Amino acid sequence: MCGIIGYIGKRDAFPILIKGLEMLEYRGYDSAGIAIMDDNLKVYKKKGKVAEVYKHAKEHGAKGNIGIGHTRWATHGEPSDRNSHPHTSASGKIAIIHNGIIENYAVLKSALLKEGHTFTSDTDTEVLAHLIEAVKEKGNLTLLEAVRQSLTQVVGAYAIIVMDESDKDTLIVARKGSPLVIGIGEQEFFIASDASPIAEYTKSVIYLDDNQVAIVKRSGEYTVSSIAGVPHTPFIEKLTLEATMLDKNGYDHYMQKEIFEQAHTIEDALRGHILPDRSVHLRGLEEIADQLAIARRLIIVACGTSWISGLVGEYLIESLAKMPVEVEYASEFRYRDPILNKHDIVIAISQSGETADTLAALSLAKERGAVTYGICNVVGSSIARTTDAGSYIHVGPEIGVASTKAFTGQVVLLSLLALLLSQRRETLEADAYKKLVDSLEKIGESVNKVLKEEEKIKKIAEILKEKESALFIGRGILFPVALEGALKLKEISYIHAEGYPAGEMKHGPIALVEKDFPVIVVATNEDMIDKVISNVQEVKARGAMTIGIIREGKDELHSIFDHVIEIPNVPDEWMPILSVLPLQLLAYHTALIRGADVDKPRNLAKSVTVE
């Protein structure tokens, strides 16, 4: 969940490292640091955001043509100067940055302590720095060989960059379970956790696979091999990511930009998938067409917002295609010995394509013989390379930690999947199918109408800002939307919020309701509106302040709610796409009013690459 950056070449490394860390700060922002080498290796690191280390390093004249940088989300050791990366070896001549967790660090540390090593931090990463130097000196090895041999002793996940003061022309890069990409320039290399800091400098990249080590040199030479030393010829991919995609484009925050981008990212997610004859085409599914034809069930594995989008997918696929679906928390999936076989298709959903728990669930699914299908946003990510087949949501880089456009992109993709399965299984009448396809294709037109409700939503946020808790409720396919609304509010405003099926109110949650307690009701599904209104009356009778997300033209509902936000009319199946938008805006503006950092909420990071 940390961000790492490295550079070697002819340019001044300092501005490249700092700019790269700023672009990776969404991955972690409790401390940051750089190691840079000119005549000798120097380390600058500080608790806090990247701006702190920039100021510190600039004051001390940081310069050099080779360097590494790290922005941290703490796992081992509290956020502090001494626990910040980079970490150095016993002599201070080897520096390392690390994204991941070394699970057996305590055993390794104990052995090193017996050899006389002393440690200055609480981190697992410092142990690895000491280990590499010890192995190098004992065997009189090159840095590359020392890194290889050290990693054979490591249990856990890592993406690392290592530099050595005794070799000013080399960086060593290795990866297992955490993402790493190498950008290839003209006699220069750019290394990062993802492609965002690289896109400005080169379009040629290598994505390291698990258990691979690379050595890059100032001369422009590089080699990739396994940890065991077996050479590997890497595939050089071309980046489609443009640096301009990573700007705020006039918005105050990335989250705000990404909410408003949904008017066109939803169209991007749909583009090319609905053919002129109204059939749905997902190219990735062609690769598993035979398995899909005999599949008995679909199992969706995901975490966080992606798990919630999976719940929407469950409703859609079971309703439209009459196919059994189970949705599992990826973090729990492998711990309950799931029953899987070759007739199951496991669908992994992840914005980054690097979520550690989801990758672990995929690994188990493949071991048990299930077919795997990935839905992710980041091209070249681990899930995209691990699954048997897959599809991208194509919503562009999502920098804000609280997911917005990725959620709607995932729901669009799952909607297309439900329609495609309904075609193949012949579960919908032709007219009903065509109506759904036509309305989905045009749904982007309705997004702007919802986003124009922003001023009304700001006024509701002014009321919500003083509350300590809130309850979000919905029925049927809108229950997951209530979950997502609650998640967004708690993530960025720090107001305690829960999402519940409206029908479960009498089974516990209604005990929370008292005078002016906020209850946000997602009430846009036509077929259940009477039942939802009954639930609203129950909480109103106990003094709740109610906020209703309702369809346009439902004037009779205005008197039932204290505040209403209207949504354009689309079929119930596509209501999750539109109904979530005002909840995103409500969370955003509530958090702003409360003075929270909406792009970098406390204790959270964007890409959860450790368990």
Side-chain angles (χ1 to χ4, degrees):
M1 293 169 69
C2 305
I4 65 177
I5 182 86
Y7 174 77
I8 183 170
K10 298 177 180 178
R11 310 187 199 208
D12 183 4
F14 179 58
I16 294 171
L17 297 176
I18 292 297
K19 187 173 184 179
L21 290 180
E22 288 173 343
M23 299 179 79
L24 291 169
E25 201 168 20
Y26 68 91
R27 301 177 70 92
Y29 34 86
D30 58 42
S31 59
I34 64 170
I36 199 162
M37 193 150 51
D38 193 4
D39 295 329
N40 50 34
L41 186 145
K42 295 178 182 176
V43 175
Y44 310 91
K45 52 187 186 176
K46 282 287 181 182
K47 177 183 176 181
K49 296 184 179 179
V50 172
E52 296 300 319
V53 78
Y54 168 72
K55 180 181 176 183
H56 174 59
K58 189 174 182 181
E59 286 174 352
H60 288 80
K63 64 176 182 177
N65 305 120
I66 174 173
I68 56 179
H70 186 277
T71 181
R72 184 171 186 250
W73 187 87
T75 50
H76 284 79
E78 66 179 7
S80 64
D81 289 357
R82 68 189 187 89
N83 285 331
S84 305
H85 296 219
H87 288 286
T88 56
S89 60
S91 70
K93 294 184 181 299
I94 291 176
I96 186 172
I97 52 176
H98 169 219
N99 174 26
I101 291 180
I102 298 171
E103 295 174 9
N104 65 331
Y105 84 100
V107 174
L108 297 172
K109 187 173 184 177
S110 177
L112 289 165
L113 285 168
K114 289 177 182 176
E115 294 177 8
H117 289 252
T118 58
F119 296 88
T120 61
S121 78
D122 303 317
T123 68
D124 54 340
T125 305
E126 188 186 7
V127 174
L128 185 53
H130 282 245
L131 178 64
I132 290 169
E133 183 172 74
V135 169
K136 182 173 183 276
E137 290 178 350
K138 286 177 186 175
N140 193 26
L141 303 174
T142 64
L143 180 63
L144 175 61
E145 192 56 38
V147 170
R148 278 199 186 117
Q149 289 194 21
S150 297
L151 292 178
T152 63
Q153 302 181 46
V154 167
V155 177
Y158 52 79
I160 60 170
I161 311 177
V162 186
M163 60 192 293
D164 187 343
E165 186 176 287
S166 65
D167 187 351
K168 297 180 173 63
D169 295 316
T170 300
L171 289 176
I172 306 295
V173 185
R175 173 230 160 121
K176 180 184 179 182
S178 295
L180 208 58
V181 58
I182 302 172
I184 305 170
E186 292 291 331
Q187 290 190 308
E188 61 182 355
F189 296 94
F190 307 83
I191 304 151
S193 296
D194 63 47
S196 57
I198 291 174
E200 178 180 350
Y201 306 105
T202 180
K203 297 300 180 189
S204 299
V205 299
I206 295 168
Y207 292 96
L208 278 195
D209 288 328
D210 274 357
N211 298 303
Q212 287 188 339
V213 182
I215 179 170
V216 297
K217 290 187 167 290
R218 195 189 302 272
S219 63
E221 299 174 82
Y222 69 93
T223 60
V224 178
S225 60
S226 70
I227 289 174
V230 178
H232 172 74
T233 302
F235 176 68
I236 299 175
E237 299 190 33
K238 293 297 180 182
L239 279 183
T240 57
L241 177 67
E242 298 293 335
T244 53
M245 295 179 180
L246 303 166
D247 296 332
K248 291 179 185 172
N249 294 336
Y251 288 96
D252 294 329
H253 304 92
Y254 282 111
M255 184 179 180
Q256 182 187 30
K257 173 198 172 192
E258 288 155 9
I259 290 172
F260 280 88
E261 279 182 331
Q262 289 171 108
H264 66 80
T265 59
I266 287 169
E267 293 179 350
D268 290 342
L270 285 165
R271 186 169 289 115
H273 294 310
I274 298 176
L275 304 183
D277 65 358
R278 315 322 287 150
S279 63
V280 172
H281 176 69
L282 290 173
R283 187 171 63 181
L285 278 180
E286 293 175 0
E287 300 171 41
I288 56 170
D290 292 343
Q291 296 96 322
L292 193 64
I294 60 172
R296 294 177 182 172
R297 62 175 176 163
L298 303 179
I299 302 168
I300 296 173
V301 293
C303 298
T305 285
S306 297
W307 177 81
I308 294 171
S309 72
L311 291 179
V312 178
E314 178 182 27
Y315 279 96
L316 289 171
I317 294 167
E318 291 194 341
S319 172
L320 301 183
K322 310 303 180 190
M323 189 171 187
V325 180
E326 297 175 17
V327 183
E328 302 275 359
Y329 283 111
S331 56
E332 291 293 324
F333 184 64
R334 62 184 170 137
Y335 296 115
R336 61 172 188 77
D337 196 20
I339 299 169
L340 294 167
N341 59 53
K342 65 182 180 180
H343 297 295
D344 296 325
I345 295 179
V346 174
I347 301 176
I349 308 176
S350 166
Q351 187 281 138
S352 67
E354 303 290 351
T355 308
D357 287 316
T358 307
L359 282 165
L362 270 179
S363 178
L364 176 61
K366 292 173 81 71
E367 286 174 14
R368 300 282 174 91
V371 179
T372 58
Y373 182 79
I375 296 175
C376 56
N377 188 35
V378 179
V379 176
S381 59
S382 296
I383 286 177
R385 300 200 307 276
T386 300
T387 48
D388 298 312
S391 299
Y392 291 113
I393 60 175
H394 293 300
V395 301
E398 188 178 66
I399 306 299
V401 167
S403 184
T404 52
K405 64 179 180 176
F407 175 79
T408 51
Q410 289 165 354
V411 171
V412 165
L413 205 290
L414 290 163
S415 302
L416 291 165
L417 177 60
L419 287 169
L420 186 150
L421 290 171
S422 76
Q423 284 178 250
R424 297 192 177 188
R425 297 168 67 85
E426 298 180 344
T427 53
L428 284 175
E429 296 291 336
D431 288 347
Y433 171 83
K434 184 176 183 302
K435 178 184 176 183
L436 287 172
V437 171
D438 289 346
S439 57
L440 181 60
E441 188 175 41
K442 296 175 183 176
I443 200 163
E445 299 171 8
S446 299
V447 173
N448 277 323
K449 291 183 180 179
V450 180
L451 297 176
K452 286 178 181 177
E453 296 287 296
E454 184 179 24
E455 289 305 315
K456 180 183 291 186
I457 293 168
K458 283 183 184 179
K459 294 176 182 176
I460 299 172
E462 286 284 353
I463 300 167
L464 199 57
K465 70 179 181 182
E466 303 295 342
K467 306 300 181 182
E468 295 181 357
S469 294
L471 194 61
F472 291 70
I473 60 173
R475 278 185 180 263
I477 200 170
L478 297 178
F479 159 54
V481 178
L483 285 176
E484 177 63 8
L487 179 60
K488 285 294 149 293
L489 188 67
K490 74 178 76 170
E491 277 183 312
I492 62 171
S493 76
Y494 317 136
I495 294 173
H496 170 253
E498 294 188 49
Y500 259 89
E504 289 294 302
M505 287 296 294
K506 291 189 290 290
H507 297 279
I510 202 165
L512 297 172
V513 178
E514 56 187 356
K515 182 173 173 53
D516 294 329
F517 183 89
V519 179
I520 297 91
V521 186
V522 191
T524 54
N525 40 353
E526 196 76 59
D527 59 341
M528 292 188 180
I529 192 63
D530 290 339
K531 291 184 180 294
V532 174
I533 296 310
S534 294
N535 300 130
V536 176
Q537 298 290 13
E538 289 169 0
V539 297
K540 281 179 69 69
R542 290 155 178 85
M545 185 269 287
T546 56
I547 301 165
I549 313 297
I550 67 172
R551 286 176 177 266
E552 285 180 342
K554 293 290 182 179
D555 295 342
E556 69 276 15
L557 299 183
H558 284 241
S559 61
I560 294 173
F561 294 100
D562 297 302
H563 307 276
V564 296
I565 302 165
E566 293 184 305
I567 301 295
N569 281 295
V570 299
D572 280 357
E573 288 82 357
W574 313 145
M575 268 299 174
I577 299 170
L578 297 185
S579 298
V580 77
L581 303 176
L583 303 183
Q584 293 172 351
L585 282 170
L586 184 61
Y588 170 77
H589 284 292
T590 304
L592 276 187
I593 295 167
R594 288 167 63 92
D597 186 339
V598 294
D599 284 338
K600 299 166 188 172
R602 68 189 182 204
N603 303 331
L604 297 177
K606 182 68 179 175
S607 181
V608 184
T609 57
V610 296
E611 287 190 67

